[in-house]
Structures are given as C-alpha cells and as structure tokens.
Amino acid sequence: MAKSKIGQTTLVDEFPNIKFTFRQASGISESGARARGLSEDRDNPVKTQITFTMDDQEITVDKGTTILEASKQAGIDIPTLCYLKEMTPDGSCRMCMVEVEGGRKGGLVTACTEPAREGMVVHTRNEKIDDSRRFVIDLLLSNQTRIQEEVEEGDNELLDYAREYGVLETSFKSGIQLSDVQARPIDDSNPFFTYDPSLCIMCRRCSRVCQHLQERDVISTAKRGFETVMLPCYGENWDVSQCEYCGLCVSVCPTGALKAKDTAKFHVNEFTKVRTTCPHCGTGCQMDLLVKDNQIIGVEPANGAANKNQLCVKGYFGSYKFIGHKARLTKPLIKRNGIFEEASWDEALDLVASKFNAIKEKYGPDALAGSSCSRSINEDNYVFQKMVRAAFGTNNVDNCARVCHSSTVHGLAMSFGSGAMTNTIADITTDVNAILLVGSNTTEAHPVIGAQIRQAVRNGAKLIVIDPRKIDLVDRATLHLQAKAGSDVALVNAMMNVIISEGLEDKDFIAKRTEGYEEMRELVKDYTPEKVAEICGVSAEQIREAARIYAKAEKAPLIYCLGVTEHSTGVNGVMSMANLAMLVGKVGKPGCGVNPLRGQNNVQGASDMGDSPFDFPGYQHVADPKTIEKFEKAWNVTLNPKVGQTSTQFIPEGRKGGKIHGMYIFGEDPVVTDPDLGEIREGLEGVDFLVVQELFMTETAAYADVVLPGRAYAEKDGTFTNTERRVQLVRRAVQAPGEAREDFEVFCDVATRMGYPMHYDSASEILDEIAAVTPTMGGMSFARLEEKGSLQWPCRSAEDEGTPIMHVGQFTRENGLGLFHALPYYPAAEEPDEDYPVLLSTGRMLYHYNTRAMTGKTEGVQEIAGHSYIELNHENAAIWGIETGDKVRVSSRRGTIETYAVVNDAVLKDASFMTFHFPDGNANELTNAALDPISFIPEYKVCAVKIEKIESAKPREEFTSESDVMYV
C-alpha cells in the first residue's frame, strides 16, 4: 500500500472507492485538503482536470487549482491583499471573497483557499461580494492613520481598492481609539528601508516570506488586540536580528508600511521598470531597475528561473548606486610624467594601438596579453578575446575564472567532458532527499541559492556540510564535517572507501557509463575512515555517516564552490567530486549532479566566450589544429597556434626583464583580488605599457599608462550566463556618463587601428556570430531570449529548447563515458609551522562583492560592513590575550597587514579566516601564489600566518562594520 501522507493523493489513488475525510487536526484544513485534490466529493479519482463556470465563462483547470489561480489563468481580476503566489494561501485579508452558488456560509468563500470543483458556478462581482469587500476595506482603513493625500494609484494597494469600491474614509472613526501602535513613529533605523506601523494592515506577507522563503523568521506578530503589530525580533533593533537586508519583505508589502528609502519619495507612476539580470554573483537573479530621468532610483525582484522573486542585499540595494556615482570615469586618461591627463578617444586609441604594435614588432605577439571582465556581458568578452587573438596575435588571454573556477573547467571536463554545472538551481533545491555541500558558504556568496537550500532542509532534505568553518548553514545541517582546509581529496576518498566497502555503489551505472573505476577503487582502499580522520580532523564515524546519507538518498545533489577549487591541488579536488557522484550514479539525473556555484555574474560566460589561453569560444581547444583552421576561416585571419599564458602567469611576467611587455586589463582589479600582491604590483609596475578599461579609478588602474572609461551593465544591452549555464538578457536602462563608450566598440577600434578591421552594430549582432562559431550556443539569439526568457546551453539550433540537465544517457566526453581518476591526497603547498603557526583561509562575506567597486558605493552596505576583520578561534585568542575588536597584525612570508579581531568558534583551533574586500587589511597581501599544475589556480584557501595583538578594542559605539554587528 502506498504510504499515507497528508497533502498527497496516495491513499485515494490506492483505494478509489473509499470515502476519505481529512480533518484539521492532521495539520491541514478541510478546504486545504480539497485544494490539493483530496475532496470527499471525488466522483472520478482518475480525472485530472475539472470544468466550471466563473462570471459566465467556462473554465477548465487542473484538479486542485484554487478559484483565485483559475481566475488568473482566465484573466479575471479578484482583489487580494495577503495572497502571494509563492506561498500557501493564507486567507486572512478576506478581500478575495467570491460567491459560489449553493455553497456554504451564504455562498461567500475566499478564492485563494477554495478549490475549483466540477460544475461549480462562481461569481466574482455582485452587490453581496462588493459589500463584503467594502466592509473589509472599511475595517482596514481604521488603522491607516498616516495616509497622505498625495498617495497616488499604485503606492498603496489598500487605497487603490478603497477608491475602486468607493470607500473614501472609514466609518469607525469614533469607535476606535488611537492605539499605541498607530501612534508609533516611523522606524528608520534600518539602513535600507523604513517601517511605518500605522500603514500596516497585518496581512503578514512580510512575516511569511521572511519565515518560509528567506528562512530567517525575523519579522513576527507582537502584542495583542488593537496593539498587535509586526516587529523585528519582537521589538528589538534590526541589527541584533538575523535580518540579511534582502528586501523581500519590502517587495511584498501592499501598503508601503515597509518601503525602500531610496524610492520612498517617488510615486510608482513616476518611474519606469527595465528588466535585467543582477550584476553580482553567479545566481543570475532577474530584477527590475526603477528608472526616473536617466537615473536608477531602486530595484525590485522579478520572477526569474533561478531566483523566483528573491534577491539578496547586494542585488536589492547594492546594484545601482555605483552606476551614477560621481567617481565614474567619463573620459580617456593618459599618464604623462606620472600624472593622468584627460585625452580624446582618438588620441588615446592611437596611442594604445601604436604602443602595442611596437611591442609586437620588437618582441613578438606573445609579449602582449589581455585579461577580460567576468562582470561584463558575453558580447564584450567575445570581442575582447577576438581582439587579442586576431589583432594582438596571441592566445595570452584570460579572465578571473583563472583564480576561482578554472579548476572546475579543467576538472569536470576531464571527468565528464564539460566543465560546468550539471543541473539547474531549482532542480537541486526543490525536490531532493539530501544535499552534500562542500566548500561553499552559500548563504553569503550565493545568498538566494542559500535561502533555497534552507527551504529544502525545511521540506525534509538532509544537509551535509563539509567546510572548515561553521558557516550559517551548519545550523540547518544534519551533519557538519569541519575538515581541515585542503583535505577534501582525502575526505572524499574515505567516503568512497565506505561506499564501496558497504556495497552502496551503483554497479550498473559504473559498468555502463564510466571507465577507470578499477584504478580508483584500488587507490581508495588505503583511505580508510580511521586513517583519513587523522588527516582531516573529523571522526571516522562522521565520514561513514556522510557517505551513507549521500549514497542512499534517491535525489542528492553535490554542490561545491571555491573551498574545493582554490588550492594547488584544485583540479584533483574537482575530479574527486566527480568521482564521488559517479560512484553512486548521481549524474545525468534530476535532483543530483555535480554543481559548482560560479562566483561572478558572468564568469561562466567569460569562460564560454573563449577568454582562456587554452580554448576558443565554446571550449574549442587551441591545441587542436582543426579548431585553429575553423576560426581562421571564420575570422579571416592567421592565428597563433601556441597555447597562451594564464593571468596568474602573465601578470607577474610584466616585471622588469619578464616576457610580457604590454597588457590590456578590462574590468579586473588584480591589485586587490590576486594572491601575493607584492608580486602583482611588481608585474604591473614593470610592464612597458598597460591599458586598463574600467568604470572607476581602481587600484589596478592607478598603474596604467592609459585608462579608458567603460560602461556598466545598466548602460548596455547584452547577455550574462549564470552558474547553471542559463543565458539571460541584460537591458540598457540609462545612458552612460560623459564619453564612456560601448566596451566592444572600443575593442573593435583598437583592433582596427592595429591592422585587423573589426566592427559590430549591436550586441545582438555579436551574439549571432557567437552562435555561428560555437556549436553549444547555435540556437541562441536575442529574439529567442526575448521569447523564452532564458536558454541553457547546450542549445544547438533554433528548435533546441536548451539543456537543463547535462550528461543524460551519456557523458559529453568523446567516447560518452565518465572517467574516474585515481587521486592521491597531497597536502597544501604551505602549511603552518613554528614561525607561522596559524592556517589562514580567505573568502567572501554577505554584504560585499569582490573588490567593493560596486557595493562600496552603497552607504547602507558601508554602514554595516566598513572595515576588514580576521576570525580567530576562541582558544587561540585566550592564549594570545586577544578579544573581539582588538587591532592585530597578521603576517605571512609574503607580507603584513593590520586588521581587527573577531573571536568565535566558527574557525578551528590554529586556523583563521579573512575576506579580501577591504583596503584597510587585504588578505591577498598574505596569500600564497602556489599554482595548480593543470589549471594554474592559486591557493587562496591555505597559507601560514602569525598573529600579534597591537592594541585593545575601541569602545563599542565606534564599531560600524559587519563584523562588529554580527560578532561583537
């Protein structure tokens, strides 16, 4: 017999002739049971659709569809104030009352909770219904004590309905005294939005989305009776709550009780909305830019495939202030006698072309190099690498994937045939039994995906976290393996040892779809849980339990991030993830796969576009003569067949006496982001000629000979490709400041002046060329993306709907088989010793994005997170006499910085953690540039440091940073 579970039809389907009644005591109301198709009136248990009448219109919908959902499908408007599409119906506002002929309670029911039934006759407007709605409006207006006359249509949904139904003022004026809630002042203590309790109608939208979508439960109902009010933490300040400032509560508030500060002074009808893609992490959230008078005044979340109407603090509040910032570059700059002077575009571009041509003639084309921008659109990235290859004559081209996920590109390509995320974000978070999360602080680096993982756990998924820190998701985890940084390969080998020894491997999958298994199996025999427990610092039983949960779960995605890739053995780490997933047959299936979370908004796209010394667009290899021949024909040029240098190789080679004499850096800031900054500065100071194309005068741009002003994402049309291979449109919302030009136009002009003519009229034209030369994107075009909303590669033709799940049936390796690799464990290149006894790992924080070039221009973000910090274990701190807030000196073999201590138990004893966002203490002064031999990625996650106290903490009231708010 099928298992009984309220909310599913298993019992009814198993026994169709038995009458079932579902009672509220079971956790679901009778109407809720009917809404899910569990009706005691069920005449035909096989039928999946029903037909009924609404306002004289015959409507056919799926069984279980509510009247409200059916009305939306039919284009019939029913007013609501508490309803949210993403949430279970609440039915509390009573605005959606409709009349059902012959129904209970005088025929009036709430449309959001009442299921449509066969033969039902529904009326959505008549006098009885209108009277009911007027009464609801009348009651709600009695609490609206601060309504302004200038409130216009769209500003307050309640007032919009009041005007529609002719309720111009409440009739309860004399019957209700002014409550304490109504007299409360507007709360503007939150850095991003205000809260006016007098406008709150207790719809609980804010509370419900915070609890069930963001999974934070910050806003709740407080007090009782007329004093009832929605408050954060039952009346405590925002800064002591778990509020992540995602803005979700603001976006769903129907009355403006919660309102973003930047848009509060504008009426809805004063600005236009432009749909675009978020410029921050690789999630690819869809959002609307709010535009007034060529200025972006705010953002609203949109219903994208990846984000489902959610944003994070960076997307909602940190993605527009920088666009119109006064520090934007507006004219070309040429450095003369050490000082930048404004120049015309012709003068600047002539100088760039002449200098690069001179270097090319004197030293050869491989003396030039270019680094492209993972924050810019695919079309810019495509033209940039074409400029480097066709005009410079070299394959010395790269992007910031080199320092974050190049290990993924190489490792997964070697194991599967394609170096990208295998499944979709929705697929790995919606209906899964377990999640194996390795080296990913998801709620801070990819916050919207992090929230979806929290939702998955609430819905029953077991979460296994493998991370050297106690990250936020540890609180939701079934199991946390707090393994030593850099020990992932050993740990995964031990998990595979358990799976094989206990017979949990998928023998059929291994036999039919893989090769290399026997060699891997022999190697992992030596990696017993007991042996590996000594390496990793976790218990053997934890290793066994993690292996069993992952292997036995029907649907269990493996999700990883930079904690796996940013090592001198990063490629081995990635191939270990592939080994583990293949061992249990969790590739090419829904709810499974190997899923790297890409860091920047278009780092996947920049790699796809060929900004790599190893690959042309679409990962067509430079080392393949047929590829060279193909692109020579397509581009009408003779190409260099020699594989180029990576950015981690060519930037240091700019030093005096090095092999690189000219560099073009587009939208990257290696003086902040790359390891061992002393070596980076030496390379940029020594190179003969440096061009930087940027939005701001960055720390890298300060070293340039020529600085060219570029355009921000909101000033151009194009596409981004998110972490799940989803290509989405970016749309121009405002005009660029000053003389800032389209970035791809600048590259075309440089190439043309160097002797290779290049021109495009639009980004759309460039995407057409990308599709023509890139088989995996052959079905991509602006027109199709407008029609479909998004497409996931591979998408090979105009008839191809794209590929949500990779490697279904066979892998993309040439022979169709996945390849196991036998991977021994190697320790990090530099580990703690007597002189430098503490292990340092680096990473991101929630509020800032990489170099802070964008988020650092947002006042509210700076208010929360304004300076650097280092997390120290409380045992070490006690020995060293260090307390939270103390100023400390941190030194490695490469450099020294000063920062502020945050003492907690998030990091292991003899370990520490820093971000690289802040100029007052950049961890990359300390990090080790030891490179993986295949991907040439640096080892950001492990280096050795020593820590000394400088001075005691300043008074608490002086602290304003994120570290202070969260940890002090």
Side-chain angles (χ1 to χ4, degrees), residues 734-804:
V734 293
Q735 298 300 312
E739 298 177 17
R741 295 179 57 193
E742 282 275 14
D743 293 289
F744 70 78
E745 289 181 356
V746 177
F747 308 146
C748 287
D749 280 0
V750 170
T752 300
R753 281 170 162 82
M754 290 184 68
Y756 178 75
M758 202 164 45
H759 174 79
Y760 299 95
D761 289 327
S762 66
S764 176
E765 182 184 350
I766 299 170
L767 184 58
D768 290 343
E769 180 172 313
I770 294 168
V773 298
T774 311
T776 53
M777 296 183 68
M780 302 278 185
S781 68
F782 270 42
R784 286 202 79 201
L785 291 171
E786 284 284 3
E787 176 191 355
K788 301 290 184 181
S790 65
L791 289 165
Q792 290 176 273
W793 65 258
C795 178
R796 299 182 183 277
S797 70
E799 292 72 39
D800 192 339
E801 296 296 322
T803 309

Side-chain angles (χ1 to χ4, degrees), residues 652-877:
E653 280 293 328
R655 66 184 181 275
K656 295 297 183 184
K659 297 177 181 178
I660 300 298
H661 294 269
M663 264 187 264
Y664 196 141
I665 297 177
F666 168 43
E668 297 296 335
D669 197 1
V671 176
V672 177
T673 61
D674 283 24
D676 190 359
L677 292 181
E679 183 182 56
I680 298 299
R681 283 190 285 263
E682 183 182 357
L684 296 180
E685 287 172 346
V687 72
D688 295 351
F689 191 72
L690 174 63
V691 178
V692 173
Q693 193 159 318
E694 257 293 357
L695 303 180
F696 300 97
M697 180 57 71
T698 62
E699 293 183 50
T700 298
Y703 288 87
D705 296 287
V706 175
V707 178
L708 304 174
R711 289 190 178 182
Y713 78 104
E715 298 158 356
K716 60 178 70 174
D717 294 315
T719 57
F720 290 156
T721 306
N722 78 343
T723 188
E724 58 183 349
R725 300 169 283 105
R726 187 180 302 279
V727 180
Q728 302 177 110
L729 287 171
V730 177
R731 295 177 177 88
R732 178 180 298 169
V734 293
Q735 298 300 312
E739 298 177 17
R741 295 179 57 193
E742 282 275 14
D743 293 289
F744 70 78
E745 289 181 356
V746 177
F747 308 146
C748 287
D749 280 0
V750 170
T752 300
R753 281 170 162 82
M754 290 184 68
Y756 178 75
M758 202 164 45
H759 174 79
Y760 299 95
D761 289 327
S762 66
S764 176
E765 182 184 350
I766 299 170
L767 184 58
D768 290 343
E769 180 172 313
I770 294 168
V773 298
T774 311
T776 53
M777 296 183 68
M780 302 278 185
S781 68
F782 270 42
R784 286 202 79 201
L785 291 171
E786 284 284 3
E787 176 191 355
K788 301 290 184 181
S790 65
L791 289 165
Q792 290 176 273
W793 65 258
C795 178
R796 299 182 183 277
S797 70
E799 292 72 39
D800 192 339
E801 296 296 322
T803 309
I805 300 177
M806 296 278 284
H807 315 299
V808 177
Q810 66 177 15
F811 287 91
T812 55
R813 285 183 70 233
E814 192 169 334
N815 65 1
L817 299 176
L819 177 61
F820 282 102
H821 291 84
L823 303 167
Y825 160 71
Y826 298 105
E830 177 183 79
E831 293 196 307
D833 56 20
E834 186 175 339
D835 294 328
Y836 297 91
V838 179
L839 185 153
L840 173 67
S841 288
T842 66
R844 294 180 181 177
M845 64 181 297
L846 171 64
Y847 298 99
H848 279 298
Y849 177 73
N850 286 9
T851 65
R852 295 169 52 258
M854 298 190 294
T855 53
K857 307 297 189 296
T858 302
E859 297 86 351
V861 170
Q862 284 295 97
E863 179 183 332
I864 297 169
H867 65 65
S868 68
Y869 60 95
I870 182 169
E871 290 184 358
L872 304 176
N873 181 273
H874 58 92
E875 292 185 44
N876 291 122

Side-chain angles (χ1 to χ4, degrees), residues 589-609:
K589 299 177 181 178
C592 295
V594 178
N595 301 283
L597 301 182
R598 303 303 293 263
Q600 296 205 40
N601 57 303
N602 200 39
V603 67
Q604 180 68 57
S607 299
D608 298 344
M609 293 302 101

Side-chain angles (χ1 to χ4, degrees), residues 473-488:
L473 284 170
V474 167
D475 291 340
R476 310 291 180 106
T478 299
L479 194 62
H480 176 210
L481 280 68
Q482 194 169 8
K484 175 186 172 183
S487 64
D488 298 324

Side-chain angles (χ1 to χ4, degrees), residues 9-21:
T9 60
T10 50
L11 279 174
V12 179
D13 291 338
E14 192 74 29
F15 303 105
N17 296 320
I18 296 178
K19 179 180 179 180
F20 292 95
T21 301

Side-chain angles (χ1 to χ4, degrees), residues 82-98:
C82 69
Y83 173 79
L84 291 169
K85 181 180 179 181
E86 300 84 4
M87 306 293 299
T88 302
D90 194 49
S92 61
C93 74
R94 322 305 284 181
M95 273 299 293
C96 68
M97 299 295 278
V98 297

